[in-house]
Amino acid sequence: MAAVRAAAVQRLRLGLRAAWWPCAWRGFSPQARAVNLPPGLAPGPGRWSSSAAEARAEEDSFLQWALLLIPAAAFGLGTWQVQRRKWKLDLIAELESRVTAEPVALPVDPMELKNLEYRPVKVRGHFDHSKELYMMPRTMVDPAREAREAGRISSSTETGAYVITPFHCSGLGVTILVNRGFVPKSKVNPETRPKGQVLGEVDLVGVVRLTETRKPFVPDNSPEQNHWYYRDLEAMAKMAGAEPIFLDADFRSTVPGGPIGGQTRVTLRNEHMQYILTWYGLCAATSYLWFQKFVRRIPGM
């Protein structure tokens, strides 16, 4: 009788266990099921979602302030370009005022000449037309024509050369280089412009110019062909037997049939306004996106 009672109790226990286990298993979290832990020991859904939310919030906070650097940097660069533009405009105004200043006597001291670029000076002497040099290709400086053709795709500009002629200064006892001006390509040969070859002593006013360094994509000078693409005063002076002093003759030096003087172009590259618009535009666009993403919290951004 006792044995029958013990067997019945054992069957009851097995039945209860079989009925409880599927229900309990369905209550386990996915992580507890994977490692077969009881429900009390497994981290439930609330604990996992809380940790993920904290990590996400921390990541968003870092991203928020990191992305704010983009509009801040763009604003700083735009402000810097505003200052650069003001400096460039002041420099252009200073150069233009130098060109229109009253001419002074030409100093021979190289240190003084370095401080006189674009400053008019006056000299007296005579030309040596037998040693002309040619800076080419060049176009004639003509402000009126350039104003008329501003914005046009095509231009009626004629190419030619600047005629550089040694000039012996009587009072100073030195020979310098003078850019007499522009001639079209058909008049580069001096035999085609005999009336323009000034003879005898003349008074001349010209603008001091300093030597140049070769810019990218500009060919090397060719002394053998007497083609000069940029002002290398040392090489040009050696070729012409003169001092490395260079003047652009003013327009009043022009004579019928000769080169057209006044070929000093006082322009400096000034594209700062484009840079200002670019940087401030980038600042505005990225600030708007940052506001939409982190302040208004628009989904999907």
Side-chain angles (χ1 to χ4, degrees):
M1 190 72 177
V4 173
R5 188 180 302 167
V9 171
Q10 182 66 17
R11 284 195 298 271
L12 180 60
R13 286 178 178 175
L14 292 175
L16 290 173
R17 184 179 296 179
W20 170 83
W21 183 251
C23 297
W25 181 253
R26 284 194 296 271
F28 283 4
S29 67
Q31 293 77 15
R33 294 178 193 177
V35 295
N36 292 328
L37 293 175
L41 299 179
R47 296 181 187 177
W48 282 89
S49 60
S50 176
S51 300
E54 290 176 3
R56 177 69 181 272
E58 204 172 303
E59 181 182 346
D60 282 354
S61 177
F62 173 78
L63 185 64
Q64 174 180 355
W65 297 113
L67 291 180
L68 190 60
L69 292 175
I70 297 176
F75 181 83
L77 289 170
T79 304
W80 177 63
Q81 287 297 331
V82 170
Q83 298 170 351
R84 290 277 297 172
R85 180 174 181 270
K86 181 180 183 304
W87 168 80
K88 185 64 69 66
L89 292 175
D90 290 343
L91 182 58
I92 292 173
E94 179 187 350
L95 294 180
E96 290 177 345
S97 66
R98 282 193 180 192
V99 172
T100 57
E102 286 295 319
V104 297
L106 173 68
V108 183
D109 186 355
M111 297 305 296
E112 290 187 51
L113 285 171
K114 285 184 178 180
N115 298 322
L116 290 178
E117 187 169 24
Y118 291 105
R119 182 67 190 268
V121 295
K122 51 188 178 182
V123 291
R124 179 174 177 80
H126 63 272
F127 290 104
D128 182 357
H129 300 290
S130 65
K131 297 180 180 179
E132 285 184 349
L133 308 176
Y134 307 107
M135 294 186 69
M136 57 193 307
R138 290 293 188 272
T139 57
M140 185 173 69
V141 175
D142 185 353
R145 174 185 55 77
E146 292 170 3
R148 290 195 307 270
E149 297 181 351
R152 294 185 185 178
I153 298 176
S154 60
S155 174
S156 59
T157 305
E158 184 178 14
T159 61
Y162 290 165
V163 178
I164 315 301
T165 309
F167 185 87
H168 183 74
C169 302
S170 305
L172 300 174
V174 297
T175 300
I176 64 175
L177 298 172
V178 173
N179 173 15
R180 296 187 60 206
F182 173 85
V183 294
K185 190 181 298 184
S186 59
K187 296 289 185 179
V188 171
N189 188 338
E191 295 179 359
T192 61
R193 44 184 169 82
K195 294 182 179 180
Q197 304 299 73
V198 179
L199 302 176
E201 293 267 323
V202 293
D203 291 310
L204 183 72
V205 174
V207 175
V208 176
R209 303 303 305 276
L210 302 182
T211 193
E212 290 179 314
T213 55
R214 187 176 71 87
K215 295 180 175 62
F217 310 112
V218 173
D220 289 319
N221 288 327
S222 178
E224 297 79 13
Q225 298 180 346
N226 199 9
H227 288 178
W228 303 84
Y229 300 99
Y230 63 96
R231 277 192 316 276
D232 183 348
L233 295 192
E234 292 293 338
M236 297 173 79
K238 183 178 179 181
M239 185 83 172
E243 296 295 323
I245 300 173
F246 192 100
L247 303 182
D248 281 341
D250 67 3
F251 183 76
R252 289 172 295 180
S253 68
T254 306
V255 295
I260 300 173
Q263 299 302 305
T264 303
R265 188 184 297 276
V266 185
T267 56
L268 295 175
R269 185 177 179 182
N270 185 13
E271 299 177 351
H272 297 291
M273 181 56 73
Q274 300 177 27
Y275 300 145
I276 291 170
L277 295 176
T278 299
W279 288 120
Y280 279 157
L282 180 62
C283 174
T286 53
S287 297
Y288 174 78
L289 294 175
W290 187 89
F291 177 81
Q292 297 290 85
K293 169 70 177 176
F294 297 107
V295 178
R296 295 190 61 185
R297 302 282 182 179
I298 294 181
M301 288 193 66

